[in-house]
Amino acid sequence: MPKTVLSEAQEDYLKQILLLSPSASETPEGPGDPVSTQGLAERLGVRPASVTGMLKKLSELRLVEYEPYRGVRLTESGHKVALEVLRHHRLLETYLHQALGYGWEQVHAEAERLEHHISEAFEQKIAEWLGHPERDPHGDLIPTVELALPKNAQAKKLLAVVAGKTATIVRVATQDTGSLNLCTRLKLKPGSVLAVLEHQLEGVRIQVHQDHFLLPSSLAELLWVVEA
């Protein structure tokens, strides 16, 4: 039976359903929890009526399970497609960053344009050149060639680390250019080690290298770390 050829929009929907369901996008256990139509519309920047129409089409293709007012979840087939698109995207981000010198704040938009068009052979070449990385420049997990997510380390949000502990950043959970530029200036990137000094109402006071500063809660919320 020939493989169904999906449009870029259909692939984007499947990928965003995956990313909006944390139990699917950050762990390897399966399609995850239902995603609301409204949440999907907001993520994609389209009207809810447009989302409903697309979900009906994806349901007919047996890529999603959709019930009005109850949300949508990926089927096993839809989950595999979403992981494949996500693998393309995150490998491209990593390649653009390491091989072509793109800043980590630049790679997302380029990868969005390219992810639908690379062949499996090209994907394999990129992965081999990169040494089969587990994470992209932002620390997001890259699905394996078998279309499974690597097992995540015992990561937690920075805000959950108690004062007096040291931790290593493993993920910066944003694609916002301004936030990534600020993290660069503050030396808050995957691999950076920091010490939590004090939690305050406005945020968390930390030490990075010899610098001490109060990190606003809105930025601290984006940082995932592993305690030393």
Side-chain angles (χ1 to χ4, degrees):
M1 182 175 180
K3 181 179 178 181
T4 302
V5 177
L6 302 178
S7 68
E8 291 184 23
Q10 288 171 325
E11 290 184 346
D12 282 336
Y13 268 78
L14 295 173
K15 184 181 73 171
Q16 293 306 329
I17 294 169
L18 175 70
L19 293 174
L20 285 168
S21 180
S23 59
S25 62
E26 289 303 320
T27 60
E29 279 76 24
D33 302 321
V35 171
S36 73
T37 302
Q38 183 62 40
L40 191 54
E42 291 173 359
R43 174 66 71 93
L44 291 164
V46 299
R47 297 174 60 186
S50 299
V51 172
T52 300
M54 177 62 84
L55 294 181
K56 288 179 179 178
K57 293 177 183 177
L58 293 172
S59 181
E60 291 171 1
L61 293 171
R62 299 183 180 180
L63 296 171
V64 303
E65 296 174 356
Y66 170 62
E67 293 184 56
Y69 311 109
R70 293 191 176 182
V72 59
R73 73 167 74 229
L74 298 170
T75 64
E76 183 177 350
S77 297
H79 189 233
K80 291 295 185 183
V81 173
L83 284 171
E84 183 173 8
V85 178
L86 192 63
R87 174 173 168 80
H88 286 184
H89 182 93
R90 291 178 175 174
L91 280 173
L92 283 164
E93 286 193 339
T94 310
Y95 184 76
L96 289 166
H97 183 59
Q98 292 191 20
L100 302 182
Y102 279 70
W104 71 331
E105 77 284 357
Q106 299 173 310
V107 295
H108 178 71
E110 290 288 354
E112 284 282 291
R113 289 186 279 269
L114 295 170
E115 64 189 22
H116 306 286
H117 305 294
I118 67 172
S119 67
E120 300 310 303
F122 187 59
E123 171 207 301
Q124 182 179 349
K125 288 292 186 182
I126 291 176
E128 290 174 354
W129 189 90
L130 293 167
H132 302 283
E134 287 194 355
R135 292 181 179 270
D136 71 11
H138 311 101
D140 292 315
L141 292 168
I142 300 174
T144 66
V145 68
E146 296 83 14
L147 299 182
L149 281 166
K151 290 192 175 181
N152 205 354
Q154 296 301 310
K156 61 174 67 176
K157 289 188 176 183
L158 175 61
L159 291 173
V161 179
V162 300
K165 294 288 187 178
T166 301
T168 301
I169 298 172
V170 293
R171 179 179 179 229
V172 181
T174 184
Q175 301 290 352
D176 177 69
T177 299
S179 298
L180 292 173
N181 283 332
L182 180 56
C183 285
T184 298
R185 289 198 295 272
L186 297 176
K187 301 174 184 176
L188 299 174
K189 301 184 76 171
S192 296
V193 178
L194 56 83
V196 176
L197 304 177
E198 181 184 10
H199 287 274
Q200 298 183 4
L201 185 62
E202 302 88 349
V204 55
R205 188 168 295 280
I206 63 174
Q207 177 180 348
V208 182
H209 300 293
Q210 302 303 315
D211 299 322
H212 296 68
F213 50 86
L214 179 64
L215 192 66
S217 296
S218 59
L219 193 56
E221 178 76 16
L222 305 175
L223 303 183
W224 288 75
V225 302
V226 173
E227 289 189 29

